[in-house]
Amino acid sequence: MKSFFKNVLANIVAIAILCCLFFIFFIVMIAVGSASESSSVEVKKNSVLTINLKTEIIDSPTEVQKDVFAFSNKSKEILIYDAVEAIRKAKDDKNIKGISIEADDLNAGITQIDDLRTAISDFKKSGKFVYAYGNTVSQSSYYLGSVADQYFLNPSGGIELKGLSTEVTFFKEFAEKYGIGIEVIRHGKFKSAVEPFIANEISPENKEQLSTLLNDIWNSTSSKIAVSRKIELPQFKTVVDSLYGMIPEESVKFKLADKLIQKTEYDQMLKSKLSLKEKDKLSKISLSKYVDSFKNEEKSGDRVAVLYASGSINSGDEYNEIYSEKYLKYIKDLQNDKKVKAVVLRINSPGGSANASDEILFELQQLKKKKPLIVSFGDYAASGGYYIAMAADKIYSQPNTLTGSIGVFGVLPYFKEIANKNGVRSDIVATNANSAYYSSLNGLSPHGVAMITKSVEGTYKRFVHFVTQNRKKSFEQIDAVGGGRVWSGTRAKEIGLVDELGSLNDAVKFAAAKANLKDYRVKSYPEEKTAFEQIFDGMNEDDISARVLKNKIGKSNYEILMQLTDKKLKSEVKMEMPFQIRID
């Protein structure tokens, strides 16, 4: 018996030691990774700035999510502002001789690709070359790569050039089949976030807004590709409709690509372009490393702060996405920071909680009283994302930004039918007439419906009120373009929902000019968390489960699942846009 206990104890000690060693190794790996990321980067002579598969363009530091499941992911996240600045600096950098775009599947939003494309077009004015190479190329990657002087394709590759589409998923019959009731209250016939729960097909209003939006974005995108590739628009439409890009020989025939060559031949061609000898090594520097070479350069003590608001808007105190308690603190800190002379609020949000949006708007209004506040829109500035912009001195949108969605809704699921089918019923004991105005089993009472409807209508009127103040228009004018409708940035400019079409960099320059700054440093808020903080902040059971599930079923399917199961759906009046658009 003693021998048995000794063996058990020895095994326990051995396991404990192994766990400790693994933990120490884990910490060391994180530290080494962090040190290597922060080390200085030397830009060699005759270098080629490279945008490759390891490049992930993000809008905000809060989008960086490192976890224990991501060690195989070697991509490096780069803020879009830093990426554009890198290309701008490379234009005048004597060590950078050209740009090579080598991304088959670019991880970036539509407006981010627009910004990169514009920056590369400007880079070409220096006389330096821009080449692109692809294997099996996504539409988004080709949109960026088509700006190159020449586009080279692998002989067995292809280009997925197909245009834009959207697929709306409906849950009404699913809910009815399983006895789930869904009470929906909304303002705005275009507020289609609730349609999947109340209909089995797309409404005429939603079809109209989606068709207009998709065509606005595709017309802008396709015309840029056609101009860069010197293809007449009618022919380009035929090429896209026929999916000719999927066949390598057809890609060359119809001028989507210039030549079919292997990657080794492409690299050899770059060496020849740089007049390198056979024994010389081709020096490529990734966009992320080039950013590291100048990112920590010190400038004047004066700062233009870029406050990033990326993701859905929620009540709470979490780091990722937009949580009101965190953002109130960020905004107050910027109010009191004497080095910060102007603030650019970068919004990339489909909206969310009406209450949290209102809290953030109020604090931004206080900030505006002290310092210039300029707003820049990314991929999305809709519903609550548009609402919080109403404190701005000036609003910059981009042509393809999904803008507006001035509308409000509430969704309350209940389970009376499925409960009754399975022998579950309830009795209610209450102190007041409407103590149980909502029950997860019985849904909303008639008076509950009336009061929530009144709340939704009141929130919509408050929304429109702030828009009328900022945009200097009447209630009727804003209501006419509101009703939950989403517009492209181009149309938003035409109808007066934004002031200018421009990038984040344009907004920063305007903010600096408004604050009378000549020498200044751009500082990002919130600051990016370290790899150590990112990983251990996400070590709770719920976060790990969510990440495993998302990896297993895919991000898109995970987001659909959240629409059905998110407990916040039944607890708040929402200002939220129902969809996202990517050039996939």
Side-chain angles (χ1 to χ4, degrees):
M1 198 69 177
K2 286 183 180 180
S3 175
F4 171 77
F5 282 116
K6 284 181 180 179
N7 288 333
V8 171
L9 184 61
N11 286 329
I12 292 173
V13 172
I15 291 170
I17 292 172
L18 284 173
C19 289
C20 289
L21 289 173
F22 175 78
F23 183 76
I24 292 169
F25 173 77
F26 183 65
I27 298 299
V28 169
M29 289 298 293
I30 295 173
V32 170
S34 299
S36 63
E37 286 180 5
S38 61
S39 59
S40 59
V41 175
E42 179 188 357
V43 183
K44 299 177 181 177
K45 292 181 179 180
N46 288 325
S47 289
V48 179
L49 183 61
T50 308
I51 301 172
N52 55 28
L53 291 171
K54 296 179 182 179
T55 304
E56 181 176 353
I57 307 297
I58 61 173
D59 218 79
S60 163
T62 60
E63 293 176 41
V64 177
Q65 293 194 36
K66 301 184 188 301
D67 58 60
V68 292
F69 306 106
F71 285 121
S72 62
N73 182 6
K74 297 180 180 180
S75 64
K76 173 69 185 293
E77 299 91 350
I78 312 169
L79 290 177
I80 183 60
Y81 180 85
D82 292 336
V84 170
E85 279 294 289
I87 295 169
R88 184 185 65 80
K89 285 181 177 290
K91 179 182 178 182
D92 300 316
D93 189 335
K94 294 179 181 179
N95 290 328
I96 300 293
K97 300 302 181 182
I99 290 177
S100 178
I101 303 170
E102 303 173 16
D104 283 356
D105 189 11
L106 188 65
N107 196 340
I110 185 171
T111 61
Q112 296 163 356
I113 299 173
D114 281 331
D115 282 349
L116 289 175
R117 220 175 177 279
T118 300
I120 293 171
S121 293
D122 182 66
F123 173 90
K124 290 166 69 174
K125 295 176 184 177
S126 66
K128 299 177 181 181
F129 69 86
V130 177
Y131 290 160
Y133 183 85
N135 291 286
T136 304
V137 187
S138 69
Q139 188 162 247
S140 58
S141 292
Y142 185 71
Y143 176 42
L144 179 64
S146 63
V147 75
D149 303 317
Q150 293 187 69
Y151 197 101
F152 300 91
L153 187 65
N154 187 284
S156 62
I159 300 168
E160 191 182 30
L161 193 58
K162 58 186 179 179
L164 299 180
S165 66
T166 185
E167 185 174 6
V168 182
T169 305
F170 296 93
F171 305 110
K172 182 174 183 288
E173 287 187 358
F174 171 86
E176 290 173 349
K177 179 179 178 180
Y178 291 100
I180 302 170
I182 301 176
E183 191 79 56
V184 170
I185 299 169
R186 62 173 172 172
H187 183 106
K189 62 182 180 180
F190 290 99
K191 199 64 185 174
S192 55
V194 297
E195 270 194 11
F197 306 113
I198 62 174
N200 288 321
E201 61 183 16
I202 195 167
S203 67
E205 293 84 4
N206 195 21
K207 189 172 184 179
E208 176 192 340
Q209 77 165 339
L210 285 174
S211 178
T212 301
L213 187 63
L214 287 173
N215 278 289
D216 280 351
I217 294 172
W218 182 244
N219 288 340
S220 170
T221 302
S222 61
S223 62
K224 289 176 184 175
I225 297 174
V227 168
S228 294
R229 297 301 306 164
K230 297 180 176 61
I231 306 172
E232 295 294 329
L233 278 173
Q235 185 188 12
F236 183 75
K237 185 178 186 306
T238 300
V239 170
V240 175
D241 290 345
S242 304
L243 300 177
Y244 286 146
M246 297 178 72
I247 311 301
E249 293 77 16
E250 299 291 311
S251 293
V252 174
K253 178 180 177 181
F254 290 101
K255 301 195 289 188
L256 298 179
D258 294 287
K259 193 175 181 180
L260 302 179
I261 59 175
Q262 295 288 345
K263 184 61 164 51
T264 301
E265 295 174 298
Y266 175 75
D267 286 342
Q268 189 60 46
M269 186 196 66
L270 290 179
K271 289 180 69 173
S272 299
K273 183 71 178 177
L274 298 170
S275 300
L276 298 178
K277 297 177 181 179
E278 186 65 32
K279 64 178 181 178
D280 294 332
K281 185 178 179 181
L282 177 62
S283 177
K284 291 183 178 179
I285 182 167
S286 68
L287 192 60
S288 60
K289 285 190 176 181
Y290 191 64
V291 167
D292 289 339
S293 73
F294 67 82
K295 193 172 181 180
N296 295 319
E297 290 177 357
E298 289 292 334
K299 292 186 178 180
S300 161
D302 291 336
R303 295 176 183 172
V304 173
V306 178
L307 175 60
Y308 292 94
S310 182
S312 63
I313 301 174
N314 309 285
S315 298
D317 191 30
E318 297 182 36
Y319 174 75
N320 297 109
E321 300 195 319
I322 308 166
Y323 284 85
S324 56
E325 289 183 38
K326 271 276 192 287
Y327 271 80
L328 297 186
K329 183 178 184 304
Y330 297 151
I331 296 164
K332 288 175 182 176
D333 287 346
L334 291 174
Q335 285 182 43
N336 299 323
D337 191 333
K338 293 181 180 179
K339 290 184 178 179
V340 173
K341 305 301 182 183
V343 176
V344 174
L345 176 65
R346 172 67 168 190
I347 297 173
N348 191 26
S349 172
S353 163
N355 177 259
S357 300
D358 199 75
E359 286 186 290
I360 293 170
L361 173 62
F362 176 79
E363 212 56 54
L364 288 168
Q365 289 170 332
Q366 309 315 302
L367 172 65
K368 180 185 173 182
K369 294 175 182 178
K370 294 185 177 181
K371 300 170 185 182
L373 176 63
I374 312 303
V375 165
S376 166
F377 289 164
D379 285 351
Y380 311 97
S383 283
Y386 185 75
Y387 186 81
I388 63 175
M390 293 303 100
D393 291 304
K394 189 170 186 175
I395 299 175
Y396 283 84
S397 181
Q398 293 177 266
N400 291 331
T401 299
L402 275 65
T403 311
S405 192
I406 301 168
V408 184
F409 71 91
V411 178
L412 295 96
Y414 61 95
F415 308 95
K416 183 176 182 178
E417 187 177 338
I418 190 174
N420 290 343
K421 284 180 179 178
N422 290 278
V424 178
R425 62 174 298 279
S426 67
D427 284 329
I428 295 172
V429 178
T431 61
N432 293 80
N434 285 288
S435 295
Y437 76 91
Y438 171 74
S439 158
S440 59
L441 278 182
N442 295 305
L444 276 171
S445 69
H447 191 69
V449 171
M451 295 309 293
I452 291 180
T453 300
K454 188 174 181 179
S455 173
V456 166
E457 292 296 330
T459 303
Y460 178 75
K461 289 177 181 177
R462 184 171 175 82
F463 194 158
V464 175
H465 166 72
F466 286 119
V467 179
T468 60
Q469 284 191 325
N470 185 272
R471 306 317 305 156
K472 298 178 174 57
K473 293 181 179 292
S474 68
F475 186 96
E476 291 72 23
Q477 287 175 309
I478 297 302
D479 191 40
V481 298
R485 181 156 186 172
V486 181
W487 305 90
S488 68
T490 299
R491 290 191 188 255
K493 170 70 167 63
E494 292 172 359
I495 61 180
L497 293 182
V498 302
D499 296 297
E500 296 286 346
L501 295 179
S503 66
L504 172 58
N505 298 62
D506 294 325
V508 168
K509 289 175 185 176
F510 181 84
K514 192 169 178 64
N516 297 315
L517 300 178
K518 292 183 179 179
D519 295 318
Y520 60 92
R521 180 183 175 192
V522 177
K523 179 72 173 175
S524 298
Y525 296 86
E527 293 185 3
E528 182 181 335
K529 286 188 175 182
T530 64
F532 184 90
E533 292 171 323
Q534 281 279 310
I535 291 171
F536 284 93
D537 280 356
M539 287 297 282
N540 68 72
E541 184 178 345
D542 287 343
D543 279 350
I544 291 173
S545 299
R547 292 178 187 185
V548 171
L549 182 60
K550 189 183 294 185
N551 288 336
K552 191 72 174 174
I553 67 175
K555 184 178 178 182
S556 298
N557 291 329
Y558 178 80
E559 289 171 351
I560 291 172
L561 178 65
M562 289 300 99
Q563 290 184 54
L564 286 173
T565 60
D566 188 355
K567 64 183 180 181
K568 288 180 287 187
L569 278 175
K570 62 185 180 184
S571 61
E572 292 184 285
V573 174
K574 307 283 279 187
M575 298 176 177
E576 193 162 26
M577 188 182 66
F579 48 79
Q580 299 180 353
I581 290 181
R582 288 181 61 87
I583 304 182
D584 289 329

